[in-house]
Amino acid sequence: MAPRARTAPRKKPRQQRSQATVDAILDATARVLCSTGYDRASTNRIAMAAGVSVGSLYQYFPSKEALVAALVERHTASMTALVKSKLAEVATAPLAEACRTMIDAMFEAHAVDPRLHKVLIEQVPRVGRLEQVVSVEREVEALVALFLEARKSELRRSRLGATAFVLCNVVEAVTHAAVLAELEPKRAREVADELTDMVLRYLPADC
Amino acid sequence: MAPRARTAPRKKPRQQRSQATVDAILDATARVLCSTGYDRASTNRIAMAAGVSVGSLYQYFPSKEALVAALVERHTASMTALVKSKLAEVATAPLAEACRTMIDAMFEAHAVDPRLHKVLIEQVPRVGRLEQVVSVEREVEALVALFLEARKSELRRSRLGATAFVLCNVVEAVTHAAVLAELEPKRAREVADELTDMVLRYLPADC
DNA sequence: GGAATATGCGAGCTATCGCTCATATCGACA
DNA sequence: TGTCGATATGAGCGATAGCTCGCATATTCC
């Protein structure tokens, strides 16, 4: 493997004008990524789209990879926050309702910025820091495993680790597919229902 | 979006020595892709790794994208062949056994060259020709739909097209995830079993 | 106001990329 | 053995990438 690029942010913005610059750069990164794809999204182009010089960009992001990593982080953070809070909300709800709510939450979370999400998933090489960022999924998986553990008596499952793994990936996959296919809302509802149905046949002890 | 690069092969090898060259180039592409990642896998580097000059490379592949596309095609072909033959084998087997066999086959197929598979999935930008290649999945999906059609009476689902879609995506997703997460064999078995169980609760009429 | 610091600028450096082409060598058939 | 298309070569072209650095400007603090 080649030597890893620096990814730690070079400096922190201290004044509000520089914070605005950083935001503008990240926004521009998202736009350029969506419109040109990863390969053609050069730092010069991004800086120009942000109305900022390359120099400024490199004051806050030591490499292109770090820049994209920061964007991914910002994007996933907003998604994960939503999912986590919902998960906390349904901690004591009946199993069926909890599942329904969580699947809906996943659809919501993916609807935040679908175009950007698609580009990030499909085009951004998951190397270096980027792969760590994506591993937020692991965290969610662990939370789901805990959730299942707490409902142990209601479930037919015993290997809850494997169950959480399958569960998370299945829900993720279908949600992704639905978002990427840009289904109209009604059809998305159908898919969500279908998915919920599947999960509720899989999990509970009673059948 | 940028203009699409040429991807059709430039010429076909007519002598066996040139066929050897083409193979060497594809093998080298796989190796370099695995060891350096997509971005650093330059055509010069690949040619050198193949013990061949860049010129020779460009006699058979009009662009880097075409080169990678050819590799993806070769890789998916070997995977798809395995899945298809298994699907034919279980055409008359009991539903439960068929599902179990097919899911195992999927895990097997993904285990052919996991390192390469991972790189191809994670790093290769899915643009141009590459996305078409991935659409081999559609073909498999159609076969699965036919399979389901033949078992219509045993299933609780009615819209078999949609069922095939969900089924393929779910199995694909979990298998992918298992490979990418580099699960140890024992855990992979658990996940496969869970997945099988889930599918067998989803499909059959009796429950 | 003025020193100190933070921020912004952008021409341009270096490296490397994908790719071409003039030339050399090989192989099949006469 | 000679001929000619198929195959192989690799120096190097033009383009563009990521990134630096000397300097200009804005802000803060005294």
Side-chain angles (χ1 to χ4, degrees):
Chain A
M1 267 299 187
R4 185 158 290 183
R6 292 184 52 182
T7 56
R10 180 158 288 175
K11 66 158 73 170
K12 287 223 167 181
R14 313 181 91 82
Q15 303 177 2
Q16 64 176 358
R17 89 183 144 125
S18 62
Q19 183 57 57
T21 300
V22 169
D23 289 344
I25 292 172
L26 286 178
D27 291 346
T29 305
R31 286 201 307 277
V32 173
L33 233 41
C34 286
S35 63
T36 74
Y38 181 80
D39 279 348
R40 294 181 185 274
S42 73
T43 48
N44 280 298
R45 216 189 291 265
I46 290 170
M48 191 179 296
V52 147
S53 79
V54 226
S56 296
L57 187 155
Y58 277 94
Q59 287 213 331
Y60 301 103
F61 305 98
S63 69
K64 180 183 174 179
E65 193 190 332
L67 172 58
V68 177
L71 177 63
V72 171
E73 206 148 10
R74 194 177 75 165
H75 179 70
T76 46
S78 69
M79 287 183 57
T80 312
L82 202 159
V83 172
K84 278 190 184 172
S85 77
K86 282 280 179 192
L87 198 52
E89 270 180 36
V90 299
T92 61
L95 185 64
E97 190 198 314
C99 289
R100 226 183 305 276
T101 305
M102 286 314 301
I103 287 173
D104 285 354
M106 283 291 285
F107 272 74
E108 263 180 64
H110 278 77
V112 168
D113 190 346
R115 257 174 80 66
L116 175 60
H117 192 77
K118 184 171 182 173
V119 173
L120 292 182
I121 292 288
E122 292 189 342
Q123 294 197 37
V124 174
R126 322 225 183 124
V127 285
R129 178 154 250 246
L130 299 182
E131 73 184 349
Q132 293 182 357
V133 172
V134 172
S135 81
V136 174
E137 293 171 3
R138 291 286 132 70
E139 206 182 329
V140 172
E141 191 185 313
L143 289 177
V144 169
L146 280 179
F147 172 87
L148 293 177
E149 186 69 34
R151 316 299 195 98
K152 211 169 183 173
S153 61
E154 295 181 63
L155 309 176
R156 344 184 327 271
R157 308 271 123 210
S158 50
R159 297 160 306 194
L160 294 183
T163 304
F165 184 89
V166 171
L167 208 54
C168 288
N169 280 296
V170 163
V171 174
E172 263 278 313
V174 176
T175 315
H176 267 167
V179 169
L180 299 197
E182 293 171 20
L183 302 181
E184 66 247 52
K186 184 192 157 202
R187 189 122 166 68
R189 245 280 47 91
E190 282 179 18
V191 171
D193 289 345
E194 189 74 11
L195 181 58
T196 306
D197 192 60
M198 184 177 194
V199 168
L200 287 180
R201 284 189 164 265
Y202 170 56
L203 283 182
D206 56 82
C207 184
Chain B
M1 270 298 186
R4 185 158 290 187
R6 292 184 53 183
T7 57
R10 179 159 289 174
K11 67 157 73 169
K12 287 227 168 180
R14 314 180 90 83
Q15 302 177 3
Q16 66 176 356
R17 89 182 144 127
S18 62
Q19 182 56 57
T21 300
V22 169
D23 289 344
I25 291 171
L26 286 177
D27 291 346
T29 305
R31 286 201 308 276
V32 173
L33 232 42
C34 286
S35 63
T36 73
Y38 182 81
D39 279 348
R40 293 181 187 274
S42 72
T43 48
N44 280 297
R45 215 189 292 267
I46 290 171
M48 191 179 296
V52 146
S53 78
V54 227
S56 295
L57 190 155
Y58 277 95
Q59 288 213 331
Y60 301 103
F61 304 98
S63 69
K64 181 183 173 179
E65 196 190 333
L67 173 59
V68 177
L71 177 64
V72 170
E73 206 148 10
R74 194 177 75 164
H75 179 71
T76 46
S78 69
M79 287 183 56
T80 312
L82 202 159
V83 171
K84 279 190 185 174
S85 77
K86 282 279 179 191
L87 198 52
E89 270 179 34
V90 299
T92 61
L95 184 63
E97 190 198 314
C99 287
R100 224 184 305 277
T101 305
M102 286 316 299
I103 287 173
D104 285 353
M106 282 291 284
F107 272 74
E108 260 181 67
H110 278 77
V112 168
D113 190 346
R115 256 175 80 65
L116 175 61
H117 192 77
K118 185 170 182 173
V119 172
L120 291 181
I121 293 289
E122 292 188 342
Q123 294 196 38
V124 174
R126 320 222 187 128
V127 284
R129 177 155 249 246
L130 299 184
E131 70 187 352
Q132 293 182 357
V133 171
V134 173
S135 82
V136 174
E137 293 170 3
R138 290 289 128 72
E139 205 183 332
V140 172
E141 191 185 312
L143 290 177
V144 169
L146 280 178
F147 173 86
L148 293 178
E149 186 69 34
R151 317 300 195 99
K152 211 169 183 173
S153 61
E154 297 180 62
L155 311 176
R156 39 176 279 278
R157 304 275 135 201
S158 51
R159 295 164 311 185
L160 295 183
T163 305
F165 178 86
V166 170
L167 209 54
C168 287
N169 277 297
V170 161
V171 174
E172 262 279 313
V174 175
T175 315
H176 269 168
V179 171
L180 300 198
E182 292 173 17
L183 300 182
E184 66 248 51
K186 185 191 155 203
R187 191 129 157 69
R189 245 278 50 88
E190 280 182 18
V191 170
D193 289 344
E194 284 287 320
L195 182 58
T196 306
D197 216 66
M198 182 176 196
V199 167
L200 288 180
R201 296 210 142 240
Y202 174 58
L203 283 183
D206 56 82
C207 184

